[in-house]
Amino acid sequence: MPTPNELLEIATTVARRAAALALQRRRDGVEIAASKSTITDIVTRADREAEDLIRGALEASRPRDGFLGEESGGERGSSGLTWVVDPIDGTVNYFYDIPAWAVSVAVVEGDPDPATWRTLAGAVVNPSTGEVFTAAAGGGARLNGEPIRVNEGVELPLALVGTGFGYDPEIRRKQAAFVTELIPQVRDVRRIGAASLDLCSVACGRLDAYYERGLNPWDHAAGALIAQEAGATVGGLDGAPAGKALLLAAAPGLYAQLDPLVQAYYQRWE
């Protein structure tokens, strides 16, 4: 079994390569290939090209590992490791040329299920800014090779909180309803549009906390590890691990203040 640092080197290399490809395609002009869950949930040809590049590179270097990608789905391996990939996280930002999109590559031990997996390494690359966020299990988190840490000692009224919204109009309505409850209790709320970068922003102190419902495994596999390795507590709904029902990330003290508010709302979601 390779070490987390060895796996991180692979993750970072392939994420950088895919990021360079996606950035060049952005400069060439974005072409929408399809829509997914709704007409606003788009996929570009660059999403597919970037994922094909990552998948091919991983098959060449780690042929026995499994793969789970946003665009091409999953395939089990025989090694006990699975690569979890979002080729372009923040596709709408990418389409509009807003410089908040990223390539996210993580490797997990066990099935590609956030409820049971153990993330070993992850890399999130923002090609627009040249920023590379990385973490290996037990080794801390880094931005462009320099250690990063969450903001400690932030009280709820002074917290800058990130969130995101789904594509279904009814889900958006419910998510917006909670924002109206939350915003009087915190410094402010930000919606950046890329979960991987939101988690990395918690890791490096650009956000104090981040929460979202409806995330897929590839949205948070790398970013959640980076946030945890930077000192964040990352959890889900009603004590479960972070997953589709809920992800919340913040330094432990702020997490303890924010979690009851988030839990109370999302437990009555239905």
Side-chain angles (χ1 to χ4, degrees):
M1 175 76 73
T3 67
N5 283 331
E6 290 170 336
L7 293 168
L8 178 58
E9 185 174 350
I10 297 171
T12 305
T13 298
V14 297
R16 284 180 179 274
R17 288 180 56 195
L21 171 65
L23 184 61
Q24 185 59 53
R25 293 293 181 265
R26 174 58 259 182
R27 290 168 175 165
D28 294 342
V30 177
E31 183 178 354
I32 295 177
S35 59
K36 295 184 285 188
S37 60
T38 71
I39 58 171
T40 58
D41 184 10
I42 60 173
V43 57
T44 68
R45 294 200 182 279
D47 284 273
R48 295 175 175 175
E49 285 186 87
E51 185 159 312
D52 287 346
L53 184 157
I54 294 168
R55 190 163 193 163
L58 292 174
E59 286 175 350
S61 62
R62 300 286 307 167
R64 296 178 56 243
D65 294 351
F67 185 89
L68 177 63
E70 180 178 16
E71 308 305 334
S72 60
E75 183 176 303
R76 288 186 178 275
S78 59
S79 68
L81 301 180
T82 302
W83 295 85
V84 185
V85 171
D86 194 338
I88 298 179
D89 182 30
T91 301
V92 173
N93 287 347
Y94 181 78
F95 177 65
Y96 280 92
D97 202 17
I98 297 169
W101 56 275
V103 177
S104 174
V105 178
V107 58
V108 304
E109 187 175 27
D111 292 331
D113 177 356
T116 60
W117 74 29
R118 175 175 175 253
T119 310
L120 299 177
V124 174
V125 179
N126 181 343
S128 301
T129 62
E131 293 181 324
V132 181
F133 296 89
T134 57
R142 288 173 170 76
L143 167 55
N144 292 342
E146 296 298 321
I148 52 177
R149 191 75 186 168
V150 297
N151 291 333
E152 302 277 4
V154 178
E155 296 297 319
L156 186 65
L158 297 179
L160 184 62
V161 180
T163 191
F165 303 112
Y167 291 100
D168 179 88
E170 179 59 20
I171 291 175
R172 285 173 182 260
R173 184 191 67 77
K174 292 179 178 180
Q175 290 170 321
F178 179 57
V179 171
T180 64
E181 293 185 19
L182 179 65
I183 200 166
Q185 304 181 66
V186 298
R187 182 191 295 273
D188 210 343
V189 173
R190 294 289 183 267
R191 194 275 203 256
I192 293 166
S196 62
L197 292 179
D198 286 322
L199 285 159
C200 290
S201 291
V202 172
C204 70
R206 294 174 186 166
L207 291 173
D208 297 309
Y210 164 69
Y211 75 91
E212 189 164 349
R213 181 182 174 100
L215 295 176
N216 292 300
W218 47 81
D219 294 318
H220 62 89
L225 176 67
I226 293 166
Q228 286 174 317
E229 288 292 329
T233 298
V234 180
L237 187 64
D238 199 22
K244 202 170 189 73
L246 180 65
L247 181 148
L248 173 62
L254 179 58
Y255 187 99
Q257 299 172 66
L258 186 56
D259 185 53
L261 303 177
V262 178
Q263 296 289 340
Y265 182 80
Y266 283 102
Q267 285 170 355
R268 67 179 194 264
W269 174 272
E270 302 304 334

Short mmCIF file of all heavy atoms in Angstrom, two decimals, residues 69-122:
data_model
loop_
_atom_site.label_atom_id
_atom_site.label_comp_id
_atom_site.label_asym_id
_atom_site.label_seq_id
_atom_site.Cartn_x
_atom_site.Cartn_y
_atom_site.Cartn_z
N GLY A 69 -16.06 9.34 -10.79
CA GLY A 69 -15.98 10.69 -11.35
C GLY A 69 -17.36 11.27 -11.60
O GLY A 69 -18.32 10.53 -11.85
N GLU A 70 -17.45 12.58 -11.56
CA GLU A 70 -18.75 13.23 -11.75
C GLU A 70 -19.33 12.93 -13.12
O GLU A 70 -20.53 12.74 -13.26
CB GLU A 70 -18.62 14.75 -11.57
CG GLU A 70 -19.95 15.46 -11.76
CD GLU A 70 -19.87 16.95 -11.53
OE1 GLU A 70 -18.75 17.50 -11.52
OE2 GLU A 70 -20.94 17.56 -11.36
N GLU A 71 -18.48 12.90 -14.14
CA GLU A 71 -18.99 12.79 -15.50
C GLU A 71 -19.08 11.36 -16.02
O GLU A 71 -19.96 11.06 -16.81
CB GLU A 71 -18.12 13.62 -16.46
CG GLU A 71 -17.91 15.06 -16.03
CD GLU A 71 -19.23 15.80 -15.78
OE1 GLU A 71 -20.24 15.43 -16.37
OE2 GLU A 71 -19.22 16.74 -14.96
N SER A 72 -18.18 10.48 -15.58
CA SER A 72 -18.15 9.14 -16.16
C SER A 72 -18.55 8.04 -15.20
O SER A 72 -18.52 6.86 -15.56
CB SER A 72 -16.75 8.84 -16.74
OG SER A 72 -15.76 8.91 -15.72
N GLY A 73 -18.93 8.41 -13.97
CA GLY A 73 -19.44 7.41 -13.05
C GLY A 73 -18.33 6.64 -12.35
O GLY A 73 -17.19 7.09 -12.26
N GLY A 74 -18.68 5.45 -11.85
CA GLY A 74 -17.77 4.71 -11.00
C GLY A 74 -17.40 3.35 -11.54
O GLY A 74 -18.11 2.76 -12.37
N GLU A 75 -16.28 2.87 -11.07
CA GLU A 75 -15.80 1.53 -11.42
C GLU A 75 -14.98 1.01 -10.25
O GLU A 75 -14.06 1.68 -9.77
CB GLU A 75 -14.93 1.60 -12.68
CG GLU A 75 -14.44 0.26 -13.17
CD GLU A 75 -13.68 0.40 -14.48
OE1 GLU A 75 -14.24 0.93 -15.46
OE2 GLU A 75 -12.50 -0.01 -14.49
N ARG A 76 -15.34 -0.16 -9.75
CA ARG A 76 -14.64 -0.73 -8.61
C ARG A 76 -13.26 -1.24 -9.02
O ARG A 76 -13.06 -1.71 -10.13
CB ARG A 76 -15.44 -1.87 -7.99
CG ARG A 76 -16.68 -1.41 -7.24
CD ARG A 76 -17.36 -2.58 -6.54
NE ARG A 76 -18.51 -2.15 -5.78
CZ ARG A 76 -18.45 -1.68 -4.54
NH1 ARG A 76 -17.29 -1.60 -3.92
NH2 ARG A 76 -19.55 -1.29 -3.91
N GLY A 77 -12.33 -1.16 -8.08
CA GLY A 77 -11.00 -1.71 -8.29
C GLY A 77 -10.78 -2.89 -7.37
O GLY A 77 -11.68 -3.35 -6.67
N SER A 78 -9.56 -3.38 -7.35
CA SER A 78 -9.22 -4.53 -6.52
C SER A 78 -8.20 -4.20 -5.44
O SER A 78 -7.82 -5.06 -4.66
CB SER A 78 -8.66 -5.65 -7.40
OG SER A 78 -7.51 -5.22 -8.12
N SER A 79 -7.77 -2.94 -5.37
CA SER A 79 -6.71 -2.55 -4.44
C SER A 79 -7.24 -2.07 -3.09
O SER A 79 -6.47 -1.93 -2.14
CB SER A 79 -5.86 -1.43 -5.05
OG SER A 79 -6.63 -0.25 -5.16
N GLY A 80 -8.52 -1.77 -3.02
CA GLY A 80 -9.09 -1.17 -1.82
C GLY A 80 -9.07 0.34 -1.82
O GLY A 80 -9.54 0.97 -0.88
N LEU A 81 -8.51 0.95 -2.89
CA LEU A 81 -8.46 2.40 -3.02
C LEU A 81 -9.35 2.85 -4.17
O LEU A 81 -9.47 2.14 -5.18
CB LEU A 81 -7.03 2.88 -3.29
CG LEU A 81 -5.97 2.53 -2.24
CD1 LEU A 81 -4.62 3.08 -2.68
CD2 LEU A 81 -6.36 3.06 -0.87
N THR A 82 -9.96 4.02 -4.01
CA THR A 82 -10.80 4.59 -5.06
C THR A 82 -10.46 6.07 -5.21
O THR A 82 -10.34 6.79 -4.22
CB THR A 82 -12.29 4.45 -4.73
OG1 THR A 82 -12.61 3.07 -4.56
CG2 THR A 82 -13.15 5.03 -5.84
N TRP A 83 -10.31 6.51 -6.45
CA TRP A 83 -10.07 7.92 -6.75
C TRP A 83 -11.41 8.60 -6.99
O TRP A 83 -12.23 8.11 -7.77
CB TRP A 83 -9.16 8.06 -7.98
CG TRP A 83 -7.80 7.51 -7.72
CD1 TRP A 83 -7.39 6.21 -7.84
CD2 TRP A 83 -6.67 8.23 -7.25
NE1 TRP A 83 -6.08 6.07 -7.47
CE2 TRP A 83 -5.60 7.31 -7.11
CE3 TRP A 83 -6.44 9.57 -6.94
CZ2 TRP A 83 -4.33 7.70 -6.66
CZ3 TRP A 83 -5.18 9.96 -6.49
CH2 TRP A 83 -4.14 9.03 -6.37
N VAL A 84 -11.63 9.72 -6.30
CA VAL A 84 -12.90 10.44 -6.37
C VAL A 84 -12.61 11.81 -6.99
O VAL A 84 -11.86 12.61 -6.42
CB VAL A 84 -13.54 10.57 -4.97
CG1 VAL A 84 -14.91 11.22 -5.08
CG2 VAL A 84 -13.64 9.20 -4.30
N VAL A 85 -13.23 12.09 -8.14
CA VAL A 85 -12.76 13.18 -9.00
C VAL A 85 -13.92 14.08 -9.43
O VAL A 85 -14.96 13.62 -9.89
CB VAL A 85 -12.09 12.58 -10.26
CG1 VAL A 85 -11.78 13.67 -11.28
CG2 VAL A 85 -10.83 11.83 -9.86
N ASP A 86 -13.70 15.38 -9.28
CA ASP A 86 -14.55 16.39 -9.90
C ASP A 86 -13.68 17.15 -10.89
O ASP A 86 -12.80 17.92 -10.49
CB ASP A 86 -15.14 17.34 -8.86
CG ASP A 86 -16.29 18.17 -9.42
OD1 ASP A 86 -16.36 18.33 -10.65
OD2 ASP A 86 -17.11 18.66 -8.62
N PRO A 87 -13.87 16.94 -12.19
CA PRO A 87 -12.95 17.53 -13.17
C PRO A 87 -13.03 19.05 -13.24
O PRO A 87 -12.02 19.71 -13.48
CB PRO A 87 -13.37 16.89 -14.49
CG PRO A 87 -14.82 16.53 -14.27
CD PRO A 87 -14.92 16.13 -12.83
N ILE A 88 -14.24 19.60 -13.06
CA ILE A 88 -14.39 21.05 -12.92
C ILE A 88 -15.48 21.28 -11.89
O ILE A 88 -16.67 21.11 -12.17
CB ILE A 88 -14.76 21.74 -14.26
CG1 ILE A 88 -13.65 21.54 -15.31
CG2 ILE A 88 -14.99 23.24 -14.02
CD1 ILE A 88 -13.97 22.17 -16.66
N ASP A 89 -15.09 21.65 -10.69
CA ASP A 89 -16.04 22.00 -9.65
C ASP A 89 -16.31 23.50 -9.76
O ASP A 89 -15.39 24.31 -9.71
CB ASP A 89 -15.46 21.67 -8.27
CG ASP A 89 -16.43 21.98 -7.15
OD1 ASP A 89 -17.65 21.89 -7.39
OD2 ASP A 89 -15.98 22.29 -6.04
N GLY A 90 -17.58 23.85 -9.92
CA GLY A 90 -17.94 25.23 -10.18
C GLY A 90 -18.09 25.49 -11.67
O GLY A 90 -17.61 26.50 -12.19
N THR A 91 -18.80 24.58 -12.35
CA THR A 91 -18.92 24.68 -13.81
C THR A 91 -19.62 25.96 -14.26
O THR A 91 -19.26 26.54 -15.29
CB THR A 91 -19.65 23.44 -14.37
OG1 THR A 91 -18.92 22.26 -14.01
CG2 THR A 91 -19.74 23.49 -15.89
N VAL A 92 -20.60 26.42 -13.50
CA VAL A 92 -21.27 27.67 -13.88
C VAL A 92 -20.29 28.84 -13.79
O VAL A 92 -20.25 29.72 -14.66
CB VAL A 92 -22.52 27.91 -13.02
CG1 VAL A 92 -23.13 29.29 -13.30
CG2 VAL A 92 -23.57 26.82 -13.30
N ASN A 93 -19.47 28.88 -12.74
CA ASN A 93 -18.41 29.89 -12.67
C ASN A 93 -17.48 29.79 -13.87
O ASN A 93 -17.08 30.80 -14.46
CB ASN A 93 -17.61 29.74 -11.38
CG ASN A 93 -18.36 30.19 -10.15
OD1 ASN A 93 -19.39 30.85 -10.24
ND2 ASN A 93 -17.84 29.83 -8.99
N TYR A 94 -17.12 28.56 -14.20
CA TYR A 94 -16.25 28.31 -15.36
C TYR A 94 -16.89 28.87 -16.63
O TYR A 94 -16.23 29.54 -17.43
CB TYR A 94 -16.03 26.81 -15.47
CG TYR A 94 -15.14 26.35 -16.60
CD1 TYR A 94 -13.76 26.47 -16.52
CD2 TYR A 94 -15.67 25.78 -17.75
CE1 TYR A 94 -12.93 26.04 -17.55
CE2 TYR A 94 -14.87 25.33 -18.79
CZ TYR A 94 -13.49 25.46 -18.68
OH TYR A 94 -12.68 25.02 -19.71
N PHE A 95 -18.17 28.61 -16.81
CA PHE A 95 -18.89 29.05 -18.00
C PHE A 95 -18.90 30.58 -18.11
O PHE A 95 -18.72 31.14 -19.18
CB PHE A 95 -20.32 28.50 -17.97
CG PHE A 95 -21.18 28.95 -19.11
CD1 PHE A 95 -20.89 28.57 -20.41
CD2 PHE A 95 -22.29 29.75 -18.89
CE1 PHE A 95 -21.68 28.99 -21.47
CE2 PHE A 95 -23.09 30.16 -19.94
CZ PHE A 95 -22.79 29.78 -21.23
N TYR A 96 -19.09 31.24 -16.97
CA TYR A 96 -19.15 32.71 -16.96
C TYR A 96 -17.79 33.36 -16.79
O TYR A 96 -17.69 34.58 -16.68
CB TYR A 96 -20.09 33.17 -15.84
CG TYR A 96 -21.55 33.09 -16.21
CD1 TYR A 96 -22.28 31.94 -15.92
CD2 TYR A 96 -22.21 34.14 -16.85
CE1 TYR A 96 -23.63 31.84 -16.24
CE2 TYR A 96 -23.55 34.05 -17.18
CZ TYR A 96 -24.26 32.89 -16.88
OH TYR A 96 -25.59 32.81 -17.21
N ASP A 97 -16.74 32.57 -16.74
CA ASP A 97 -15.37 33.06 -16.55
C ASP A 97 -15.20 33.80 -15.22
O ASP A 97 -14.49 34.80 -15.12
CB ASP A 97 -14.94 33.97 -17.71
CG ASP A 97 -13.42 34.06 -17.84
OD1 ASP A 97 -12.72 33.20 -17.26
OD2 ASP A 97 -12.92 34.99 -18.51
N ILE A 98 -15.86 33.29 -14.20
CA ILE A 98 -15.65 33.75 -12.83
C ILE A 98 -14.52 32.91 -12.25
O ILE A 98 -14.60 31.67 -12.26
CB ILE A 98 -16.93 33.60 -11.99
CG1 ILE A 98 -18.05 34.48 -12.57
CG2 ILE A 98 -16.67 33.96 -10.53
CD1 ILE A 98 -19.42 34.20 -11.97
N PRO A 99 -13.47 33.49 -11.73
CA PRO A 99 -12.26 32.72 -11.37
C PRO A 99 -12.39 31.97 -10.04
O PRO A 99 -11.53 32.07 -9.17
CB PRO A 99 -11.18 33.78 -11.31
CG PRO A 99 -11.90 35.03 -10.92
CD PRO A 99 -13.24 34.95 -11.61
N ALA A 100 -13.47 31.22 -9.90
CA ALA A 100 -13.69 30.41 -8.70
C ALA A 100 -14.20 29.04 -9.13
O ALA A 100 -15.35 28.69 -8.91
CB ALA A 100 -14.68 31.09 -7.74
N TRP A 101 -13.32 28.29 -9.77
CA TRP A 101 -13.60 26.91 -10.16
C TRP A 101 -12.31 26.12 -9.98
O TRP A 101 -11.23 26.70 -9.91
CB TRP A 101 -14.12 26.82 -11.60
CG TRP A 101 -13.23 27.44 -12.64
CD1 TRP A 101 -13.18 28.75 -13.03
CD2 TRP A 101 -12.22 26.78 -13.42
NE1 TRP A 101 -12.22 28.95 -13.99
CE2 TRP A 101 -11.61 27.75 -14.26
CE3 TRP A 101 -11.76 25.46 -13.49
CZ2 TRP A 101 -10.59 27.44 -15.15
CZ3 TRP A 101 -10.74 25.15 -14.39
CH2 TRP A 101 -10.17 26.14 -15.20
N ALA A 102 -12.45 24.82 -9.87
CA ALA A 102 -11.27 24.04 -9.50
C ALA A 102 -11.38 22.61 -10.00
O ALA A 102 -12.47 22.10 -10.30
CB ALA A 102 -11.11 24.02 -7.98
N VAL A 103 -10.23 21.97 -10.07
CA VAL A 103 -10.14 20.52 -10.30
C VAL A 103 -9.87 19.88 -8.95
O VAL A 103 -8.96 20.29 -8.23
CB VAL A 103 -9.00 20.19 -11.28
CG1 VAL A 103 -8.87 18.68 -11.45
CG2 VAL A 103 -9.25 20.86 -12.64
N SER A 104 -10.68 18.87 -8.61
CA SER A 104 -10.58 18.21 -7.30
C SER A 104 -10.31 16.73 -7.50
O SER A 104 -11.07 16.03 -8.17
CB SER A 104 -11.89 18.41 -6.53
OG SER A 104 -11.88 17.69 -5.32
N VAL A 105 -9.23 16.24 -6.89
CA VAL A 105 -8.84 14.84 -6.99
C VAL A 105 -8.52 14.32 -5.60
O VAL A 105 -7.66 14.89 -4.90
CB VAL A 105 -7.62 14.64 -7.91
CG1 VAL A 105 -7.20 13.17 -7.96
CG2 VAL A 105 -7.91 15.15 -9.32
N ALA A 106 -9.20 13.26 -5.18
CA ALA A 106 -8.95 12.64 -3.88
C ALA A 106 -8.84 11.13 -4.06
O ALA A 106 -9.34 10.56 -5.03
CB ALA A 106 -10.08 12.95 -2.90
N VAL A 107 -8.19 10.49 -3.10
CA VAL A 107 -8.13 9.04 -3.07
C VAL A 107 -8.57 8.58 -1.70
O VAL A 107 -8.13 9.12 -0.68
CB VAL A 107 -6.73 8.50 -3.45
CG1 VAL A 107 -5.65 9.04 -2.54
CG2 VAL A 107 -6.72 6.98 -3.48
N VAL A 108 -9.50 7.61 -1.69
CA VAL A 108 -10.08 7.15 -0.43
C VAL A 108 -9.84 5.65 -0.28
O VAL A 108 -9.71 4.92 -1.26
CB VAL A 108 -11.59 7.46 -0.36
CG1 VAL A 108 -11.84 8.95 -0.56
CG2 VAL A 108 -12.39 6.64 -1.37
N GLU A 109 -9.81 5.24 0.98
CA GLU A 109 -9.68 3.82 1.30
C GLU A 109 -11.08 3.28 1.60
O GLU A 109 -11.81 3.86 2.39
CB GLU A 109 -8.77 3.65 2.51
CG GLU A 109 -8.43 2.21 2.85
CD GLU A 109 -7.43 2.12 3.98
OE1 GLU A 109 -7.38 3.04 4.82
OE2 GLU A 109 -6.69 1.13 4.03
N GLY A 110 -11.44 2.18 0.96
CA GLY A 110 -12.77 1.61 1.13
C GLY A 110 -13.68 1.99 -0.02
O GLY A 110 -13.25 2.53 -1.04
N ASP A 111 -14.97 1.71 0.14
CA ASP A 111 -15.95 2.05 -0.89
C ASP A 111 -16.07 3.55 -1.04
O ASP A 111 -15.88 4.29 -0.07
CB ASP A 111 -17.31 1.46 -0.54
CG ASP A 111 -17.32 -0.06 -0.60
OD1 ASP A 111 -16.54 -0.62 -1.39
OD2 ASP A 111 -18.11 -0.68 0.14
N PRO A 112 -16.40 4.02 -2.24
CA PRO A 112 -16.53 5.48 -2.45
C PRO A 112 -17.83 6.02 -1.86
O PRO A 112 -18.69 6.56 -2.55
CB PRO A 112 -16.49 5.60 -3.98
CG PRO A 112 -17.03 4.30 -4.47
CD PRO A 112 -16.57 3.27 -3.49
N ASP A 113 -17.97 5.88 -0.55
CA ASP A 113 -19.15 6.31 0.19
C ASP A 113 -18.66 7.17 1.36
O ASP A 113 -17.95 6.67 2.24
CB ASP A 113 -19.93 5.10 0.70
CG ASP A 113 -21.13 5.48 1.53
OD1 ASP A 113 -21.34 6.68 1.79
OD2 ASP A 113 -21.88 4.57 1.94
N PRO A 114 -19.03 8.46 1.40
CA PRO A 114 -18.54 9.32 2.47
C PRO A 114 -18.87 8.82 3.88
O PRO A 114 -18.18 9.19 4.84
CB PRO A 114 -19.23 10.66 2.19
CG PRO A 114 -19.55 10.63 0.74
CD PRO A 114 -19.84 9.19 0.43
N ALA A 115 -19.89 7.98 3.99
CA ALA A 115 -20.26 7.47 5.31
C ALA A 115 -19.26 6.46 5.85
O ALA A 115 -19.17 6.25 7.06
CB ALA A 115 -21.65 6.83 5.25
N THR A 116 -18.48 5.84 4.96
CA THR A 116 -17.59 4.77 5.40
C THR A 116 -16.14 4.96 4.96
O THR A 116 -15.25 4.30 5.50
CB THR A 116 -18.08 3.41 4.87
OG1 THR A 116 -18.12 3.44 3.43
CG2 THR A 116 -19.48 3.10 5.40
N TRP A 117 -15.89 5.80 3.97
CA TRP A 117 -14.53 5.88 3.45
C TRP A 117 -13.57 6.58 4.43
O TRP A 117 -13.99 7.28 5.35
CB TRP A 117 -14.48 6.55 2.08
CG TRP A 117 -14.68 8.04 2.02
CD1 TRP A 117 -14.38 8.98 2.96
CD2 TRP A 117 -15.23 8.77 0.92
NE1 TRP A 117 -14.68 10.25 2.52
CE2 TRP A 117 -15.21 10.15 1.28
CE3 TRP A 117 -15.71 8.42 -0.34
CZ2 TRP A 117 -15.66 11.16 0.41
CZ3 TRP A 117 -16.15 9.43 -1.19
CH2 TRP A 117 -16.15 10.77 -0.81
N ARG A 118 -12.28 6.38 4.19
CA ARG A 118 -11.21 7.13 4.85
C ARG A 118 -10.40 7.80 3.76
O ARG A 118 -9.78 7.12 2.94
CB ARG A 118 -10.34 6.19 5.69
CG ARG A 118 -9.13 6.90 6.31
CD ARG A 118 -8.34 5.97 7.23
NE ARG A 118 -7.12 6.61 7.71
CZ ARG A 118 -5.89 6.30 7.29
NH1 ARG A 118 -5.71 5.34 6.40
NH2 ARG A 118 -4.83 6.93 7.77
N THR A 119 -10.41 9.12 3.75
CA THR A 119 -9.69 9.84 2.70
C THR A 119 -8.21 9.89 3.05
O THR A 119 -7.82 10.29 4.15
CB THR A 119 -10.25 11.26 2.53
OG1 THR A 119 -11.67 11.20 2.42
CG2 THR A 119 -9.68 11.91 1.29
N LEU A 120 -7.38 9.50 2.09
CA LEU A 120 -5.94 9.42 2.31
C LEU A 120 -5.19 10.64 1.78
O LEU A 120 -4.17 11.04 2.35
CB LEU A 120 -5.39 8.15 1.66
CG LEU A 120 -5.95 6.83 2.19
CD1 LEU A 120 -5.38 5.66 1.41
CD2 LEU A 120 -5.68 6.68 3.68
N ALA A 121 -5.68 11.20 0.68
CA ALA A 121 -4.98 12.35 0.08
C ALA A 121 -5.95 13.09 -0.82
O ALA A 121 -6.90 12.52 -1.35
CB ALA A 121 -3.77 11.87 -0.74
N GLY A 122 -5.69 14.39 -0.97
CA GLY A 122 -6.54 15.19 -1.83
C GLY A 122 -5.83 16.43 -2.32
O GLY A 122 -5.00 17.01 -1.61
#
